[in-house]
Every structure is written in C-alpha cells, then in structure tokens.
Amino acid sequence: RGGEKRLIGNRTEAKLMVEAGVEPIWTALSADERRKLVDDLLEYEQEDKLSKRLVKRWGVSPSLAKQIATISLESTRLSFSLTAIQRMLPSLREGKSVQKAKMDAYPEQAGADQPWDLLPPLHPNAVWKEHCSGGRPYNGIEVRNPAVERSLSEVRKVVNAIIRRWGKPEVVRLELARDLKKPRQERADATARMRNQEKWREEARAKMVREGFSGVAERNTRADVEKVLLWEECGGVCPYTGKPISFEDLFGQSPRFEVEHIIPYSLCLEDGFANKTLCEISENRNRKRRMSPYDAYHGTDQWDAILKRVQHFKGPTASKKLRLFQSAKNGEEIFGDFTQRQLNDTRYASRLASDYVGLLFGGKVDLTSRQRIFVSAGGATAIVRRKLGIEGILGGGEKNRKDHRHHAIDALAIALTGPKEVQAIARASADAVARGEAAHRIKLDAPWPEFATDAKRVVDGIVVSHRVDRRLSGPIHQETTYGRPIRGLDGHVKDESLRHQRYRLETLAAADVEDIVDGAVRDAVRAKLAALGQTEPKIAFKGDANLPILKRGDGREVPIRRVRLKVRKTLATVGDGPRKRYVAPGSNHHMAVIERKGANGSRTRELEVVTTLEAYRRKSAGEAIVQSDLGPDRRLLMTIRSGEAVMLRLSDSEVPCVVSSVSDGLVELKTHTDARAATEIRKAGVDGGRLKLTTRGFLNALVGKIVISELGACRSSND
C-alpha cells in the first residue's frame, strides 16, 4: 500500500543466522526458547559475561559465543508487549487492523480507542471524568518532562480551537522541536549557538565588502553568505584538488568553484552547512559527481592528500565533516537513514505529541487502517520552505527567527511535506545530478501560481497569541539587604529613601563619584582620575594597576577598591523586631489602570504598580490581590501583567503589543511579532524596535487591554 516496496522481516533472526552463524542451533529451538535466548542477548551488557552465559546455558562453543556476543540487535521497540501480541495475533491472522485486534483482545479498553471530538486534557481531574468524558475510560498522557508537558498543553488549546472553528482535519502533520527533551542549559546553549551563527553571517557579509564585492553583500542571499563561511572553514583551499580559491573564483563573472554536498544530496537529503564544502566545478561535475568522497577517491593517489586538507578545516563542524569524508556508508552512521529520520521519527516529544493528537482518530492509524498522523523532521520542510519562496517573506531573504510568525511559515511548509513530497524531493535531486546540475538547485512546483504572494498576505495579517502565566510566583524582593535610613545630626530621619550602599570602584559611572560618602575617599578618587586624564571609573580602575590610594593617619597607604555611595531606594520591610530587614521589592505583580474623577467632572487615568511583595502580603492577610474597591472618586479600569497584551496607538495606527516589564516609572513593551529576548531588544535601542514609555506616555497610548485567542482573534478584556 502507498507505494511501499519492501517489508521489514525478522531482523533479529536474520542477524543471528546470517551474521552470527547460529542457524543450526536456532532452528532446533522452540519459539519459547528462541525468545529466552533473545532476552539473554538483550539483558547482558558485557560481552564476556554474555559469552559465558551462552556457553553454560545454551551449549554454544566458546568461539561461537564470542562471535554472537559482538552482534548488536536493532534498537527499536514495538508498542505492544509479548503478552499483548499473543492475545492480538488471532484477530490479526484474520486480516483485522491493529486497532480492531486490540479491541478484540482488550474489550474493556475498547471505548478508550474510539475517536475523541476534541483533545481531552493531559491530566483529567475527577470533575472532567464525571461531566466531560461521556463515561469513557481515559487516564491521561504520562509526561515526565515539564517543558514537553507545557508544549502539549498549548497543542491542545490550538488544535481544539481549530476543530471548533473548521472541524476535525483529515490528517495532521507534525514537526516538533526535539530540543524540548533537553535540560534548560542545553537549550540555552543551542540558542547561544544560533546567535553566534547570526554573528558569523554578519561578519561574512562584511568580508564581502572588504574584498570588493559589496554588490554581492547587498544581494544578501543565503547561498552567498554560505560560500564565504565555507571558504573560511577550508582556509581558501579546495579540499578535493588543493587549488587556492579567491573571492573572484567564487563571486566573479566566471566562477571556478561551487558549493557541493559532501554526501550527495540525493542520498541523504541533508542540505545543512555540516554536509557542504567547496569544490572546483570541473572536479565536482566530472569526477566526484553523485558519489561520496570515500566512493570517489578512496584507494587513489588523491585520498591521503584530501584527508590531510580536511583535517585542517576550522570551525564547529570541522570534525563532523572529516568523519563524513571518511564515511564508507554514505554518512548513515552520522546522519542516520533518511527515510527512518523523516517518516518514522519516534523521539520523545514527537512520539508523545503524535500519540496525543492521534486520540482524535482513535490512534495515529484509525480503525480503517488509514494513517492520520505524520511526524517529520526539519530537513525536508526546510527544503520545501526555501523552494516555494516562502522562507524570506518576513524580510531579509532568510528565515527570520526574530519574528514569531516564522512558526506560521514553518507550519505552512510542514503542511505541504508528506511522504510523497519527501520521495519527490529525493527523485528530483537524483535527476538534477544526473543532468549535471547541483542537487540543491532542484525545483518544486507551488500548489498554485500566486502561492508565495498569498502566503505573504496571510502571514502579514497574523496576530500572534502569547501564553500568559498568571500564577503568583517569583522573588518577593531582591537579594541585597539595606541598612537603616540615614539620620541627621539631630538624630532624626529626614529622607526615608536615602541609604548608603557599597559598590566596587570599577562599577561606578562618572556621575557616581560625587555621591561617595567619605570625603577623603572621594577626594582620592577625584585626584586619581585627574592624574590619569579620565572621567570614567569603569575605564580608569579596571584591574588593580591604577587604584587610588588612601593615606591613613599612621602613614599606611591603602588601595581603594570599594566605596560607599548615597543612593535613593524605594524600600520595603520584611520581618519584625530583631529580624526586621530593609529590602528592595523584587518583580512587579501587576499594574492597575485607575480612572480618577475630578471635582469638575473631568476624568483622568493613572497607573498604580503592585509589587510581588505586596501581592504576597495581601494574600497572606486574606485580602484580594487585585483590589477593586478604591473609593468614590477612583474606579479600577483594568489590570495588566507582564506577558499580557494591550492595544497601543503608535504613529496613528493601533498595534497589538505585549508588556515586558514595569520599573522606575517606565513601561517596556514589544510588538506582538517580536521574538527577541528582552536583553537583545534593549541592546537594539529605540531605533531597533525597543518600546520604552513613561507611565504617562503608556496611558496616553493605551487603547485598552486585549486577549488574543489561539487563532489570533483579538477582543477587549477590561478585567
């Protein structure tokens, strides 16, 4: 069915009989004994102990036992236990589908396999089971990873919203981030690598300009930037021929070198940077052609020289490329089998998501044996995205990860990438190489002529929905504790906000010098700055070489490393009696937008910030965290938290924005499409898209608070 041309048989038996040579022993064993032998092979991890077991339990000769112990059985597992398989076999032998056989074997579970109209919750509670399940058995999905659990919860919201709006889909195609299984630090490292790659690409464009190819840099295509990065990696030398490569050879009127796939694209469909290098055009077309380096050059006089040149590659993918050059299996031990990766991705997050969404159909394969859920990896969808001209519709000619809408473009490509499309890409690649063309120049036909234009129009109109965390959580105050308020000579506190605080000298700004408490220290710092011809302590006192010196009364000279400054802090108190401490509030819980009625009937709006510390205090005192009873002249209009969406009037147009933070009388926001981290937005500044408003400016621009549904619909929300 579906063009399948091969049937995977009993791989365990094949390995033992063909590779290990145990056919005489194997054929003499009963089915039960064969299973026990396989259990031994899987259970023992050390070859010497397995060999002893084979000799003692199964009567195998020592030499044959050692040979069997080196065999590696397949790593995949079935979804059913041996007991379940034995109970299902009678129905399967009658020609029934797996789902029907499962229902026959376990009739008490039959109701659980019936399709759901909507995705049920991951962890159903007693109320849901009683009122929403229709009496069907369902115990939820077992998820042990918090990041995956949260992603599946979001999947449920989106999928159910789609079904309510358009009905249940015919098929579902998924491509999930496999990084979800990784710890937070590994995911952070992956993000840092992406940022470094962006930096390298910017440096590559700058190098084009320095080399006199500013026109190419302005063209700013992915392929041109990639050429520069590959040129730097190989040190400007063709790894196959050893000939030097100039920029004229890459970007001139008659290029002599081109990008080529180390493992032919038609064999692995890996179009990433790790499978590419530079090669002289004539060498690539006439000699290497549709072969791996191993197949094309191994055993020739060029082979050792090629490997030596690849060993001198520089960059994060250098070691991987050396292994690809040395690979005798067309890179399968590095990339894995393509069909397996693309069509049978069973990694943790993808498997759980496909199982979960499969509840809509009674399983990934429904009761009629029709496959409804397809999971693909990123390689093929990236090709579809580029070849259909939709990768650069957010600007820049490449995938724009700084815009949340790139996920919608990915989803569009995923929807157009099924098993048939994957095979079509492979065939088109092979045909392109056969015609003497580069494999990456294959063409894909768009679903209709105006597809790219229509896609851009729809993506431009998307309003991005953001997940809001409304839990009362977070630090209630900052870690630093402060001293008591400064008292005057008369013993009274004149300013509750004035405190002394220690700072390292190299962290001070120029204006901080005048706020140094100790006069002698202040004079010493001033004098040293003047002697160094500097005004910035951050520059002058970096390191210990130029520290100012304070002369003591006993003649000692003490270097000044830390100073006390007069600072103004809005502080709160925690604890009582001897445990009373002065602290700066931590994060803010919410902003209250309040309407005040004036004596003459006028109405004005004001913003009141409630800290997390105050929110915890209200909760512990049994008060409402959001207080709506504000007196006769004040009325609560709405509350706004970080992560919630508001509509702002900016430059005579209304723009959905997301609140990032509120502090020191300033409100920071970002547009609903902005996917950059807060630190990156701040670094970019106002011209780079940062929205930083005073509380008054925010209230003047505020149209209202909005809620953006999972499908991007906006509605007012004055809660």
Side-chain angles (χ1 to χ4, degrees), residues 269-438:
L269 285 190
E270 280 290 342
D271 195 40
F273 185 83
N275 190 36
K276 293 179 181 178
T277 188
L278 298 178
C279 182
E280 190 175 20
I281 293 176
S282 59
E283 182 75 10
N284 192 29
R285 305 288 175 84
N286 301 326
R287 176 68 189 277
K288 183 174 184 292
R289 303 171 67 190
R290 291 178 59 190
M291 293 183 287
S292 68
Y294 187 91
D295 292 336
Y297 299 99
H298 184 260
T300 68
D301 295 338
Q302 295 172 261
W303 180 241
D304 290 339
I306 289 173
L307 291 184
K308 285 182 180 179
R309 285 191 284 268
V310 177
Q311 287 171 357
H312 288 88
F313 277 15
K314 297 178 181 179
T317 61
S319 60
K320 186 173 185 177
K321 291 187 178 181
L322 177 59
R323 286 187 288 137
L324 285 178
F325 269 81
Q326 296 171 327
S327 172
K329 296 183 179 180
N330 290 330
E332 286 184 15
E333 67 274 24
I334 299 171
F335 294 135
D337 178 70
F338 175 76
T339 304
Q340 181 71 16
R341 284 184 291 111
Q342 290 291 326
L343 307 182
N344 298 305
D345 189 347
T346 57
R347 293 187 184 229
Y348 184 55
S350 299
R351 176 176 60 81
L352 284 178
S354 58
D355 288 345
Y356 187 38
V357 179
L359 295 175
L360 295 171
F361 309 101
K364 290 179 285 189
V365 178
D366 65 17
L367 297 179
T368 65
S369 298
R370 179 186 176 188
Q371 186 170 352
R372 296 297 196 113
I373 309 296
F374 297 87
V375 179
S376 63
T381 54
I383 296 167
V384 171
R385 195 175 59 233
R386 289 196 289 269
K387 299 307 177 183
L388 296 184
I390 61 175
E391 178 160 83
I393 62 179
L394 291 177
E398 299 180 4
K399 184 172 181 175
N400 186 359
R401 296 182 183 274
K402 296 179 180 180
D403 191 316
H404 282 299
R405 292 173 296 178
H406 81 266
H407 294 298
I409 298 172
D410 286 343
L412 187 56
I414 293 164
L416 296 172
T417 309
K420 291 182 180 179
E421 287 73 22
V422 170
Q423 297 301 327
I425 292 171
R427 287 194 297 270
S429 172
D431 293 342
V433 175
R435 294 192 302 268
E437 301 175 358

Side-chain angles (χ1 to χ4, degrees), residues 466 468 640-641 643-647 656-659 704-708:
H466 292 256
V468 180
I640 301 173
R641 294 195 60 179
E644 292 187 323
V646 295
M647 190 71 76
C657 296
V658 178
V659 177
K705 179 180 175 180
I706 61 174
V707 171
I708 306 172

Side-chain angles (χ1 to χ4, degrees), residues 557-573:
E557 294 185 346
V558 180
I560 301 172
R561 290 185 171 86
R562 293 180 177 83
V563 296
R564 286 185 303 151
L565 297 186
K566 295 178 183 178
V567 295
R568 294 188 181 277
K569 289 280 185 180
T570 301
L571 301 177
T573 59

